[in-house]
């Protein structure tokens, strides 16, 4: 799912959160009005109005979320669900949490250390998450605070008509074949790859997202906390970013690099004016909505080297949970479970089911799996990694630093600067008193 650019320094916001949340634990539920008790054990007696905060402003504006809420109301006639969209969710939600104005149901911040989840979210009932695939996420101290809204992978979303027009006979299975496909697309007057360089957040796919699966080790980023100099030309960082720099240098990407043309890029891919994206499968539905025919859009694993097989990530999308400050916690819990398990959200937006179910509903996802990638199930970014990133003032969640690395004429020199920042952060973290 599209992630938004972070504008606040995460470390600063977290410090504010900790200061403002100091008294939250003792407020308890004493201020919370009791919800109506169920009649004869039925659940339909839940009542009240709750607000869900979300990054999907588009689904508020097109009525999709209202449709889900209307169906929910049939189950709970005295209940209503309203929605509020945050344009820069990753940063906006931290500010909202700090003021306790976080609605009733919300997406869990990806850059909030696990040990702080209990300060802002209610623990979920064990039965709600019994089949959850991603067991290391949204948990702390044996308690789970969120459910995944879907399961994603990353790969090449491509236009089949563009490939046919460029004379590409088969799907690239090696990096050499990928570059050859780019050459043919460019010769046919088609932009081979749309990086969405100006939008910034898609660049994470060419950096930390790829690094964390191409080695087959989902702990790759977490293990960086044990290194002083994790950025090197001859490791996964150098490999992934060198690919992106190569396609930029060869002119295989969009002309207006610094313009944020995310919405425009979807239309261009839908029309076949662009050949490929490297993004998550969630992009497919948006490209179809931009005018592409179902049969014209495909999806295959990214061939990041010339080996015979490749890894692909299996990631959770945003987690959804209940605010600790909600005055309607029981109703909010019911909505979270309904949203994840009973609405068509997962199927509508091209996700694999968040529970361990197998068969995807989207044809493009079935095509992707037909190439037999070795799926690497993600593990949560550790608190140690998040704290190191904050201390080093590196926003892995926004993609800004990837943009800077792709623009540099000397990648190793830029790596050296990052390594120095990382080393200082590591030394500072080791010197900090442990709780």
């Amino acid at each position: 799912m599209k992630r938004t650019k972070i504008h606040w320094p995460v470390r600063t916001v977290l410090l504010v959160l900790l200061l403002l949340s100091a008294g939250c634990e003792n407020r308890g539920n004493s201020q919370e009005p009791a919800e109506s008790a169920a009649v004869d054990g039925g659940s339909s007696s839940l009542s009240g109005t709750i607000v869900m905060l979300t990054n999907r402003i588009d689904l508020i504006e097109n009525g999709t979320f209202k449709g889900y809420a209307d169906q929910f109301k049939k189950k709970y006639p005295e209940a209503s669900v309203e929605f509020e969209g945050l344009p820069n969710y990753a940063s906006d939600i931290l500010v909202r949490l700090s003021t306790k104005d976080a609605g009733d149901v919300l997406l869990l911040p990806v850059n909030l250390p696990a040990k702080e989840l209990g300060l802002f979210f209610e623990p979920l009932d064990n039965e709600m998450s019994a089949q959850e695939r991603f067991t290391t996420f949204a948990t702390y101290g044996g308690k789970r605070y969120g459910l995944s809204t879907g399961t994603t992978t990353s790969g090449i979303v491509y236009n089949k008509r563009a490939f046919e027009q460029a004379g590409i006979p088969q799907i690239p299975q090696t990096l050499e074949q990928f570059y050859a496909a780019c050459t043919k697309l460019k010769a046919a007057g088609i932009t081979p790859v749309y990086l969405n360089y100006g939008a910034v957040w898609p660049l994470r796919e060419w950096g930390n997202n790829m690094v964390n699966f191409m080695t087959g080790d989902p702990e790759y980023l977490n293990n960086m906390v044990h290194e002083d100099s994790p950025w090197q030309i001859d490791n996964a960082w150098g490999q992934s970013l060198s690919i992106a720099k190569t396609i930029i240098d060869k002119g295989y990407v969009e002309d207006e690099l610094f313009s944020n043309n995310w919405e425009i890029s979807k239309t261009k891919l839908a029309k076949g004016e662009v050949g490929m994206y490297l993004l998550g499968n969630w992009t497919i539905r948006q490209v179809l909505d931009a005018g592409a025919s179902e049969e014209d859009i495909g999806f295959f694993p990214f061939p990041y080297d010339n080996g015979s097989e490749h890894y692909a990530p299996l990631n959770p999308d945003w987690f959804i949970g209940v605010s600790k400050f909600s005055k309607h916690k029981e109703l909010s819990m019911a909505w979270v479970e309904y949203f994840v398990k009973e609405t068509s959200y997962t199927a509508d937006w091209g996700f694999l089911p968040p529970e361990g179910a197998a068969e995807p509903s989207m044809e493009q996802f079935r095509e992707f799996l037909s190439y037999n990638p070795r799926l690497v199930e993600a593990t949560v970014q550790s608190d140690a990694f998040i704290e190191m990133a904050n201390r080093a003032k590196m926003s892995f969640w926004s993609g800004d630093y990837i943009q800077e690395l792709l623009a540099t004429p000397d990648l190793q020199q830029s790596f050296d600067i990052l390594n120095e920042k990382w080393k200082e952060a590591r030394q500072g973290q080791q010197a900090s008193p442990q709780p």
Side-chain angles (χ1 to χ4, degrees), residues 23-172:
C24 297
E25 289 277 316
N26 295 326
R27 295 182 182 271
N29 297 336
S30 60
Q31 299 176 355
E32 180 178 317
E35 297 184 11
S36 2
V39 178
D40 296 328
S43 58
S44 61
S45 63
L46 286 176
S47 63
T49 299
I50 58 174
V51 176
M52 175 178 163
L53 304 188
T54 176
N55 65 332
R56 293 305 301 268
I57 297 174
D58 56 329
L59 301 189
I60 297 175
E61 293 177 343
N62 68 16
T64 297
F65 277 168
K66 183 180 184 300
Y68 298 156
D70 289 345
Q71 292 299 314
F72 183 71
K73 195 171 184 65
K74 292 179 181 179
K75 187 172 184 178
Y76 303 100
E78 301 302 318
S80 297
V81 184
E82 298 177 352
F83 304 93
E84 181 181 351
L86 303 183
N88 297 307
Y89 192 91
S91 55
D92 292 347
I93 195 59
L94 291 174
V95 178
R96 295 290 291 270
L97 282 171
S98 73
T99 62
K100 305 175 190 175
D101 179 22
D104 300 278
V105 173
L106 63 154
L107 307 178
L108 277 62
V110 295
N111 44 355
L112 187 69
K115 64 185 179 183
E116 295 168 20
L117 287 170
L119 297 176
F120 307 105
F121 295 92
E122 281 294 304
L124 305 181
D125 185 277
N126 289 337
E127 292 185 5
M128 287 179 65
S129 58
Q131 303 300 316
E132 184 80 359
R133 172 186 269 126
F134 300 99
T135 57
T136 64
F137 287 78
T139 63
Y140 187 73
K143 297 179 180 179
R144 175 170 285 277
Y145 294 92
L147 295 182
S148 170
T149 55
T151 300
T152 71
T153 190
S154 294
I156 297 293
V157 181
Y158 72 104
N159 188 298
K160 295 179 181 179
R161 285 192 296 109
F163 271 41
E164 182 178 351
Q165 182 180 337
I168 300 170
Q170 62 183 20
I171 297 303

Side-chain angles (χ1 to χ4, degrees), residues 154-156 175 178 206 210 243 278 300-304 310-311 368:
S154 294
I156 297 293
L175 184 59
F178 174 76
W206 300 90
M210 192 189 303
I243 296 171
L278 172 60
F300 63 89
F302 182 57
Y304 47 78
H310 296 96
Y311 294 105
F368 182 93

